[in-house]
Amino acid sequence: MNEDAFEQAVRRHKDSVHGFATRMLRDRDEALDVAQESLVRLWEHRKRVRDDGARAWLMRTAHNLCIDRIRKRKTRAEVAEGEAIVDLQAAQGPGPGRLAESGELGAGLEAALDRLDPVDRAVILFREVQGLPYQEIAEALGMPLGTVKARIHRSREKLRDALTRAGLVPGGIEEGA
Amino acid sequence: MTAHLDESRARAWIHRELDGETLASEERRRLDAHLAGCAACRTFRAELARVQEGLRALPADPFPERALEDVLARTSRRTLAEPLPFRARPARRLTRRLAWAAAAAIALAGVLGVYRMERIEKDRQAEETARALEQVRQLETVFKLTSSAIDRSTRTAVREVVADEVAPALRRIPVRFPPTAGPGGTGVGENAGGPEGGPKGGPEGGPGGTDGGENGGDAPAGDASSLEAGPGRRSAWT
């Protein structure tokens, strides 16, 4: 990947990387750090990255950085012996304007996403929010394709269950309802 | 005739539909037949579709423009103006090495300089010591020569003084010579001693030999002869 390809990749994928990090971490400052670090690392490793593999490479890097930060948070939370960090994360999610933009369903989905296992969350975000193909998700996460599909299907059903319990997806709706 | 599709497989195919897969025509027909008679699976598909729509409708979270500028400034644009951090490392390492080498060279120069100064100081001290010893030796020689000259001068002066005093005194002493039988022996003994007659008597002894034989060896031969009894004369003490 040369300098031009790098700049094109940055401009094309920067929002996806940042959006993914924001929903993974629920902290805008941390998400910005992760996104910037991922893009800078792409530059540092550009000679080993194919032009058509930039997005998968960026997503894998962002995912690994997010998982590292989530693990550190858990350690800090255990030390703090409290749930305050969960409240903090909820407070630092998408701003009020964006929640209003996405409506009740969106707010419910954001909350439901937070309760998913981080890897399940990453997989469903890659697939449904960022629109990555299964094969690219498998490459990004280093998982077999079948495992990726199974995780996505399971995550969808967990979100459906959460929204149903929250009354955001009334049970019994049918197509065209 | 389409075989009956169980709920589990029907839901898996619903996921495949939502994933964007195109079911084979046979699968399509069997799923439609199942959904037509299964309200739970119809609801399942409708709810999953709503979840999917909701996820896809989540607002984008654009990367801030200032953050993009920062990333580009730290990466591709940086190479145009200045080296990247990881490219700059060798230069920093080289600078550090040069600094260490310079410091080491300065330290070595300092040590060598001190050593050299000590050597020079030692050499200088040795030269000064040798020079001082030489001067002492020269002074000693001068002192000996001076001392000897003074000694000789003193003796000469004393001799002259004594001679000046004694010789006239001797002249005033009446010398009586016994009458001699020899021819020409008429008494001229009064001024027998010449003015140059030394006070120091020779081995023969003389009236002026106050020093006795102490300095007799120094006396000029002529001095002694002046006190000798010449032919026709007699010493006052004889």
Side-chain angles (χ1 to χ4, degrees):
Chain A
M1 171 180 283
N2 59 26
E3 292 180 13
D4 290 339
F6 167 78
E7 284 213 19
Q8 286 178 11
V10 167
R11 292 182 186 282
R12 188 178 301 139
H13 305 307
K14 59 183 173 52
D15 293 342
S16 296
V17 174
H18 184 241
F20 170 77
T22 301
R23 291 200 163 87
M24 283 294 287
L25 296 170
R26 313 298 294 164
D27 183 299
R28 286 188 290 275
D29 291 336
E30 278 198 291
L32 191 58
D33 287 346
V34 165
Q36 284 186 304
E37 188 170 350
S38 300
L39 296 170
V40 171
R41 286 191 184 188
L42 174 64
W43 170 260
E44 292 173 350
H45 295 85
R46 66 190 183 283
K47 290 180 181 174
R48 295 197 294 271
V49 179
R50 298 189 320 270
D51 290 1
D52 59 354
R55 182 169 64 173
W57 194 97
L58 280 170
M59 290 302 182
R60 177 171 64 243
T61 301
H63 172 261
N64 291 339
L65 291 172
C66 287
I67 295 296
D68 286 346
R69 290 184 181 237
I70 290 169
R71 285 177 182 153
K72 287 176 184 173
R73 274 184 195 169
K74 285 182 179 174
T75 304
R76 288 200 300 269
E78 287 168 5
V79 172
E81 294 180 347
E83 297 295 324
I85 192 164
V86 175
D87 297 336
L88 179 66
Q89 291 167 19
Q92 294 188 342
R98 289 182 53 241
L99 283 174
E101 184 185 338
S102 60
E104 261 193 325
L105 177 62
L109 278 172
E110 300 275 11
L113 283 167
D114 286 346
R115 287 191 288 274
L116 288 178
D117 169 85
V119 178
D120 285 346
R121 194 189 317 161
V123 169
I124 197 75
L125 287 172
F126 281 152
R127 178 62 194 171
E128 304 293 15
V129 178
Q130 311 301 337
L132 268 64
Y134 279 116
Q135 187 59 45
E136 203 169 311
I137 297 170
E139 289 175 12
L141 299 180
M143 288 179 183
L145 190 60
T147 303
V148 171
K149 286 184 177 180
R151 277 186 175 269
I152 287 173
H153 297 172
R154 187 175 63 199
S155 299
R156 268 189 199 136
E157 293 186 22
K158 284 183 179 177
L159 292 175
R160 165 188 168 257
D161 293 344
L163 294 181
T164 302
R165 285 195 299 273
L168 295 172
V169 177
I173 65 167
E174 294 188 22
E175 284 180 298
Chain B
M1 180 72 183
T2 303
H4 176 71
L5 184 67
D6 63 58
E7 194 168 290
S8 171
R9 177 166 293 189
R11 294 192 175 193
W13 287 2
I14 290 170
H15 275 296
R16 287 174 58 192
E17 272 191 312
L18 292 171
D19 288 340
E21 282 189 43
T22 302
L23 298 177
S25 56
E26 177 63 18
E27 292 172 335
R28 179 80 268 162
R29 279 196 301 272
R30 288 177 64 187
L31 179 60
D32 287 344
H34 176 82
L35 289 173
C38 180
C41 283
R42 286 197 301 274
T43 300
F44 177 80
R45 184 166 74 168
E47 290 173 348
L48 284 188
R50 186 155 188 191
V51 167
Q52 189 178 56
E53 288 168 10
L55 288 170
R56 290 179 178 175
L58 287 176
D61 199 357
F63 192 59
E65 193 62 28
R66 58 175 173 75
L68 172 63
E69 292 301 316
D70 183 51
V71 167
L72 294 177
R74 290 162 62 189
T75 55
S76 57
R77 290 183 187 168
R78 182 171 188 147
T79 57
L80 301 177
E82 53 185 318
L84 263 177
F86 64 85
R87 285 184 180 174
R89 281 176 198 146
R92 284 203 297 269
R93 281 200 295 271
L94 180 61
T95 303
R96 274 200 298 275
R97 286 177 182 167
L98 286 173
W100 277 110
I106 290 169
L108 181 62
V111 170
L112 290 175
V114 169
Y115 175 75
R116 178 68 180 153
M117 286 176 67
E118 287 179 351
R119 287 288 304 271
I120 291 171
E121 182 64 18
K122 285 179 181 175
D123 291 347
R124 191 181 62 78
Q125 288 177 350
E127 286 175 5
E128 285 185 354
T129 303
R131 197 177 305 121
L133 286 172
E134 179 62 25
Q135 287 175 347
V136 167
R137 279 194 292 272
Q138 290 175 355
L139 284 171
E140 190 177 25
T141 302
V142 169
F143 177 77
K144 285 178 179 176
L145 292 171
T146 306
S147 179
S148 175
I150 290 171
D151 191 40
R152 282 198 305 274
S153 298
T154 302
R155 286 200 303 272
T156 302
V158 168
R159 188 170 57 232
E160 288 174 353
V161 168
V162 170
D164 287 344
E165 291 179 358
V166 171
L170 285 175
R171 285 190 212 103
R172 286 193 297 272
I173 296 173
V175 179
R176 298 181 188 284
F177 296 99
T180 58
T186 56
V188 286
E190 187 172 73
N191 293 317
E196 59 287 324
K200 303 177 182 70
E204 300 82 9
T210 54
D211 291 333
E214 185 180 1
N215 294 314
D218 291 336
D223 292 345
S225 62
S226 64
L227 295 177
E228 283 177 354
R233 301 187 289 182
R234 291 289 179 93
S235 169
W237 290 275
T238 58

